[in-house]
Amino acid sequence: MELREKIRGLPKKPGVYLFKNRADNIIYIGKAKSLRARVSSYFTGKPSDPKTARLITKIRDVGYIVVDNEIEALVLEANLVREHRPHYNINLKDDKRFPYIHVTDEPFPRIEVVRRRGRVGRYFGPYTDARAMRSVINLIKEHFRLRSCKHYLPSRAPSRACLNFDMNLCDAPCQGNVSEEEYSERIGEVFLILKGRRRELIKKLKKKMSDAAGKKNFEAAAEFRDRIDAVEMVWQRQKIDTDLADRDLHAVAAGPRNAVAVTMQVREGRVIARQEFHISISPDTTKSGVMSGYLTQYYSENTNPPAEILVSIIPDDCDSIRVFVSERRKKNIELRVPRRGPKHELIKLVERNAELLLAELVQSKDNVRLPFGIIELEKLLKLNRTPRVIEAIDISHLSGTNAVASLVSFRDGKKFGKGYRRFRIKTAEGGDDYASIYEVVHRRIKRLLDDKKALPDLLLIDGGKGQLAMARKAAEEFGVGNRIELASIAKRLEEIFRPGYDKSLMLPRDSAALRLLVRIRDEAHRFAIQYQRQRRTKAFRAQELVSIEGIGPKRQKRLLIEFDSLENIANSEPEVVAEKAAIPIEISRKIIDFLSPYKTAMILVAMGILLFGGCTPSPRYIGNARPATIRRHKPRSVETVADTVRAAEAPATRITRDAPVKRSTAFDQDALLGAVNIYLGTPYRYGGTGFDGIDCSGFVQNAFHQAGVDLPRTSGEQYRVGKSVKRPDFGDLLFFGMSGRSVDHVAIALGNSRFAHASSSLGVTINSLDDPYYKRRFIGARRVY
């Protein structure tokens, strides 16, 4: 019978289906409410994920087992997976090696350690920490004196007590020293210890101690006191939880082919057990799928689930698992992911444990220590190999000029300084990011191939799909498109793009993989900005007066002595310059043209006007004419940037809405643009006002000060200055509510919906009002000139 005919003949009842391969081996076991509908879904439409697509290609036969309901199907699936261990299922590795505590079903029960379940009785476990388990058993033997012999009592009792009786480790029920009722009470107390119900046990023991003391049976009272102390000692070793509730905490960490699950059992507010399991998975298994398979197998073995189960991720088939565990407990349970508060922090701790254990597992196999972010990155980005060597490229330019690129290298999650490279963009013009990416990737791959060096495991591009496409084009030109993994990361939403995927990948915000990518991207951005700033400063310093035809060192010296600064020269008439410096009028006109307002602002900032808080660079700094001296500007009627900052630190006086703007000179748009360009790339620092770090309102205040307009210090005060405008133009202030409806962010409009601002994540940068992120947070614009 053909496979499709067999599928059409499946019953429409709940059950378990078994997929088999060509060799008649079971490769996958699943459960279904309707066997026919579920199995048919595999062969209709497009597979939901790559794992399912690969599974379908290997299916040659299907078997099934019908059950009464979905919960029975869930239990049967877990048992069959444990027995057959199919390749495409979630499998707990070597789970039978973990020991259980078995309490036998006899008139005088025994406590023993077993590694397989099967015989009648109560089971507790499995315990991944055998040492901790045995310490609990030793405490029980010492203080509760239960028997350990294998005689079936009372019918097959030995003729005399064993050595344990002489050592005071057993009360010899075989000799009739303990009644069956008293022995059952001890077993009940042991159950309370193993279940973690400390308060109930302590209350019970204290009552017995009080009753014994009231009857003046002080030896028995002392015995109960010792039991209480022993139980309290065990609990005091455990970490205190957030409250006194009972709960299980489960977290999983998944790699390409391996996963680790960690469970912490909390009883009455204390962690009584920590269990860890290694799990084998297929490459495309999701974390929710891992959690689903793990919980099903875990609670099929654990008969004492608590009322609350906290997980790091909601499992697949969450409702079925909740019903299944509730039936095991015989009461309803709560299964959820804590989103905030102490419980959220505790589940994150368990998840971190799972990540570290997975990293150790990979290390033991590869003999190398890797951070979990790299392991997770391989899985989430579906890479063909572990990205131990990651290189990242970023482009930086100033309004289309001085374009440069940076390349940073990370090895095993750490910076590799010797692998850093800087590039001057040679072929791309006008700040074309796409062409720049193509050029840099082309040059990088060519150099590595020429030097016969290994390509990086992952090449990360700062940008979106367009930049990624250009990088792929450059790689394919060398025929290495399949040898080098490519990815790009877009700012703001931190979207990840991969070749061959139509949609972006949105990694969880708290994932170690995303944190690693963002750290590498930000390092590439920092390195690019640093190089671009160095090139910019060098270019402006090279543009001294001696670069003008007809001006040599002597004339430059005379000009600076007569006019004291480049700004004074630029603000003078050509005739005045020619007369004071004794130079031809044609050369003085060249000087004035050279020192245009835009270039003047750029040069003054680069030479230190802002850096030195109002000081003028000495002539020697410009042309080596005489010893350097720092001279203050002549007193003016307005305060300097430093004065404004000091004033902002004092208690602010209220400024009314639409208050007149305080101006130092006429508003200079070119100077504003120059100041904005100089600050591009400056890192963000709350309360900062300089190049070592600056915040949004400090950036706006300093830029407008250079343009001749003095503004208050904070964004809220700046919002109460000037007049409101509906259509922002160049130089207007844009205000945003980033964390609510009140103003807490300010930017400078540049025209065409673009604006410059000090971003808390990227420093001084340029964004667009068309960006939905900023558009929905935009409050209004005001004109202050």
Side-chain angles (χ1 to χ4, degrees):
M1 183 184 297
E2 290 186 3
L3 179 60
R4 292 189 180 273
E5 293 182 5
K6 195 170 185 177
I7 293 173
R8 284 195 289 269
L10 291 176
K12 297 181 179 179
K13 294 184 178 181
V16 173
Y17 55 92
L18 302 88
F19 287 147
K20 301 179 181 180
N21 62 7
R22 192 186 303 275
D24 203 36
N25 295 325
I26 298 175
I27 58 176
Y28 184 75
I29 298 174
K31 63 184 179 302
K33 292 181 180 179
S34 170
L35 285 168
R36 183 189 299 178
R38 181 70 183 102
V39 175
S40 298
S41 67
Y42 283 90
F43 302 93
T44 56
K46 186 178 179 181
S48 58
D49 53 71
K51 170 191 171 183
T52 305
R54 283 199 297 269
L55 170 64
I56 292 172
T57 62
K58 298 181 182 297
I59 298 173
R60 295 295 181 270
D61 193 11
V62 59
Y64 65 91
I65 302 172
V66 176
V67 296
D68 290 335
N69 53 59
E70 189 180 1
I71 303 305
E72 287 187 12
L74 183 68
V75 177
L76 179 59
E77 178 199 27
N79 293 333
L80 290 175
V81 167
R82 186 180 301 279
E83 178 182 354
H84 296 285
R85 308 180 68 79
H87 175 71
Y88 287 94
N89 279 99
I90 308 298
N91 297 307
L92 295 183
K93 291 185 177 179
D94 301 325
D95 56 302
K96 292 181 181 179
R97 70 182 178 184
F98 297 126
Y100 294 85
I101 293 178
H102 177 222
V103 182
T104 60
D105 185 17
E106 302 176 76
F108 293 92
R110 295 177 291 112
I111 290 183
E112 60 182 359
V113 177
V114 298
R115 292 189 179 270
R116 295 189 182 184
R117 299 182 53 162
R119 287 178 292 171
V120 179
R122 295 286 299 273
Y123 287 88
F124 297 89
Y127 295 93
T128 57
D129 190 345
R131 180 180 298 178
M133 178 203 68
R134 293 193 181 278
S135 69
V136 173
I137 290 179
N138 291 336
L139 177 142
I140 292 172
K141 286 182 178 179
E142 180 181 354
H143 295 280
F144 292 85
R145 296 198 292 278
L146 303 181
R147 74 186 187 98
S148 58
C149 62
K150 295 186 179 180
H151 301 291
Y152 189 82
L153 303 181
S155 60
R156 296 181 182 178
S159 58
R160 62 182 299 274
C162 65
L163 186 61
N164 284 341
F165 175 70
D166 297 326
M167 297 174 63
N168 203 31
L169 295 177
C170 175
D171 282 344
C174 59
Q175 304 302 311
N177 295 344
V178 183
S179 67
E180 186 174 339
E181 182 181 357
E182 183 183 351
Y183 195 91
S184 296
E185 283 190 13
R186 293 187 189 181
I187 289 294
E189 293 168 1
V190 169
F191 282 170
L192 294 178
I193 289 180
L194 296 177
K195 291 179 179 180
R197 292 160 63 179
R198 177 187 66 93
R199 285 181 295 172
E200 184 178 347
L201 175 59
I202 295 296
K203 183 178 179 181
K204 197 172 185 180
L205 291 175
K206 284 184 176 180
K207 185 178 184 304
K208 288 185 177 182
M209 181 179 68
S210 178
D211 291 344
K215 296 176 182 179
K216 297 186 179 181
N217 187 354
F218 298 114
E219 289 186 1
E223 182 181 331
F224 290 127
R225 180 203 61 202
D226 293 342
R227 288 186 193 179
I228 293 172
D229 292 342
V231 173
E232 292 285 13
M233 181 181 66
V234 171
W235 250 258
Q236 286 173 1
R237 294 174 184 167
Q238 309 302 326
K239 178 181 176 179
I240 298 176
D241 194 9
T242 56
D243 51 34
L244 298 179
D246 295 350
R247 61 175 60 92
D248 285 350
L249 298 100
H250 304 281
V252 296
R257 295 189 178 277
N258 298 282
V260 169
V262 173
T263 292
M264 285 189 179
Q265 293 182 336
V266 179
R267 299 295 181 267
E268 297 187 3
R270 287 173 170 82
V271 179
I272 65 167
R274 175 182 177 272
Q275 300 166 301
E276 57 192 59
F277 300 89
H278 294 169
I279 306 171
S280 62
I281 60 176
S282 56
D284 298 300
T285 305
T286 62
K287 286 182 71 174
S288 58
V290 174
M291 181 63 79
S292 177
Y294 171 67
L295 291 180
T296 303
Q297 295 188 47
Y298 182 84
Y299 285 108
S300 66
E301 298 289 334
N302 191 314
T303 58
N304 301 292
E308 184 179 37
I309 297 174
L310 304 180
V311 293
S312 60
I313 186 170
I314 289 294
D316 297 339
D317 304 321
C318 179
D319 293 337
S320 298
I321 293 173
R322 184 183 289 111
V323 173
F324 165 61
V325 180
S326 296
E327 289 188 355
R328 300 284 285 178
R329 189 173 186 269
K330 297 182 174 56
K331 288 183 181 180
N332 289 335
I333 62 102
E334 182 182 10
L335 193 156
R336 64 187 182 90
V337 177
R339 299 298 181 185
R340 60 180 65 87
K343 294 180 183 179
H344 171 74
E345 295 175 1
L346 196 57
I347 199 69
K348 283 299 178 184
L349 173 65
V350 181
E351 187 174 27
R352 180 59 179 156
N353 273 264
E355 294 174 356
L356 292 173
L357 288 169
L358 180 60
E360 289 177 4
L361 176 64
V362 174
Q363 175 190 354
S364 63
K365 290 186 173 183
D366 300 340
N367 197 28
V368 61
R369 182 177 296 276
L370 295 177
F372 176 71
I374 289 181
I375 301 169
E376 189 179 43
L377 196 62
E378 178 183 2
K379 178 178 178 61
L380 296 181
L381 266 58
K382 299 178 174 59
L383 305 177
N384 295 322
R385 55 182 174 274
T386 305
R388 295 187 57 190
V389 178
I390 303 176
E391 292 184 352
I393 292 175
D394 186 28
I395 306 297
S396 178
H397 59 81
L398 177 62
S399 300
T401 64
N402 287 332
V404 297
S406 68
L407 182 143
V408 298
S409 179
F410 278 63
R411 293 192 177 183
D412 294 341
K414 298 180 181 178
K415 295 179 184 179
F416 181 64
K418 293 183 179 179
Y420 281 34
R421 298 291 184 271
R422 302 187 300 187
F423 299 86
R424 297 183 186 180
I425 304 302
K426 299 178 180 179
T427 59
E429 297 180 354
D432 187 341
D433 274 5
Y434 302 113
S436 299
I437 288 291
Y438 171 80
E439 175 187 332
V440 175
V441 174
H442 191 280
R443 288 166 60 183
R444 179 58 176 168
I445 294 177
K446 183 177 185 303
R447 182 61 180 267
L448 291 174
L449 295 178
D450 289 346
D451 294 346
K452 297 182 179 180
K453 294 183 178 179
L455 296 171
D457 298 321
L458 174 65
L459 184 60
L460 182 66
I461 307 298
D462 184 10
K465 293 180 67 175
Q467 286 86 347
L468 181 64
M470 298 306 292
R472 186 178 185 183
K473 178 182 176 182
E476 289 177 346
E477 287 188 3
F478 289 98
V480 296
N482 296 327
R483 290 171 51 192
I484 184 171
E485 298 280 6
L486 297 171
S488 66
I489 177 170
K491 293 183 178 69
R492 190 172 65 79
L493 293 180
E494 311 297 10
E495 296 175 276
I496 311 297
F497 296 92
R498 289 272 288 134
Y501 290 85
D502 296 333
K503 296 182 179 179
S504 62
L505 303 175
M506 299 296 294
L507 305 187
R509 283 284 179 177
D510 59 348
S511 72
L514 182 61
R515 291 197 300 268
L516 177 63
L517 289 180
V518 170
R519 184 160 62 94
I520 295 173
R521 188 272 313 276
D522 290 348
E523 174 64 9
H525 184 69
R526 180 201 65 78
F527 195 50
I529 290 295
Q530 181 188 61
Y531 183 43
Q532 207 276 336
R533 185 177 292 170
Q534 290 175 358
R535 291 262 301 149
R536 186 193 320 163
T537 302
K538 184 177 179 180
F540 283 116
R541 286 180 179 176
Q543 292 178 350
E544 297 177 351
L545 295 178
V546 291
S547 62
I548 303 174
E549 184 180 359
I551 298 295
K554 291 185 178 180
R555 283 183 172 176
Q556 178 183 253
K557 177 181 177 180
R558 190 183 310 131
L559 283 165
L560 292 172
I561 292 174
E562 293 293 336
F563 290 92
D564 194 48
S565 71
L566 297 177
E567 186 179 12
N568 291 339
I569 299 175
N571 292 330
S572 302
E573 295 296 330
E575 293 77 8
V576 176
V577 174
E579 179 181 355
K580 286 191 173 184
I583 57 175
I585 187 66
E586 294 80 5
I587 296 179
S588 67
R589 291 196 179 100
K590 290 182 181 180
I591 295 172
I592 300 302
D593 291 339
F594 176 78
L595 300 176
S596 64
Y598 170 75
K599 290 184 178 179
T600 299
M602 297 287 281
I603 292 173
L604 290 175
V605 175
M607 302 306 283
I609 289 296
L610 292 180
L611 287 173
F612 295 102
C615 301
T616 303
S618 70
R620 180 175 181 179
Y621 186 83
I622 299 175
N624 296 321
R626 62 184 181 185
T629 56
I630 297 178
R631 294 181 294 173
R632 296 280 179 181
H633 284 304
K634 295 179 180 179
R636 298 183 298 170
S637 59
V638 297
E639 67 263 41
T640 62
V641 176
D643 295 330
T644 309
V645 173
R646 285 192 293 270
E649 293 173 349
T653 55
R654 180 174 178 82
I655 303 176
T656 58
R657 200 174 185 81
D658 296 332
V661 180
K662 185 178 181 181
R663 303 182 183 182
S664 56
T665 59
F667 177 64
D668 192 334
Q669 291 189 356
D670 290 329
L672 178 65
L673 178 61
V676 168
N677 279 314
I678 278 297
Y679 271 102
L680 283 177
T682 300
Y684 179 89
R685 181 168 63 85
Y686 180 75
T689 58
F691 287 113
D692 59 335
I694 197 167
D695 61 14
C696 62
S697 56
F699 163 65
V700 169
Q701 185 188 48
N702 285 1
F704 270 84
H705 179 77
Q706 292 303 308
V709 178
D710 292 328
L711 295 175
R713 176 63 180 87
T714 67
S715 57
E717 292 172 337
Q718 292 170 1
Y719 186 57
R720 295 191 290 269
V721 174
K723 61 181 180 180
S724 176
V725 291
K726 293 184 177 180
R727 295 183 178 180
D729 199 357
F730 177 84
D732 290 335
L733 297 185
L734 308 180
F735 295 92
F736 301 86
M738 308 304 289
S739 57
R741 295 184 178 181
S742 60
V743 171
D744 57 12
H745 190 66
V746 61
I748 301 174
L750 302 178
N752 295 325
S753 298
R754 296 175 68 80
F755 61 87
H757 66 130
S759 164
S760 61
S761 59
L762 300 175
V764 179
T765 185
I766 295 176
N767 288 102
S768 174
L769 268 178
D770 295 331
D771 188 328
Y773 177 80
Y774 292 103
K775 191 172 185 178
R776 63 173 174 263
R777 290 169 171 80
F778 178 64
I779 291 179
R782 301 188 71 80
R783 187 161 296 163
V784 297
Y785 55 89

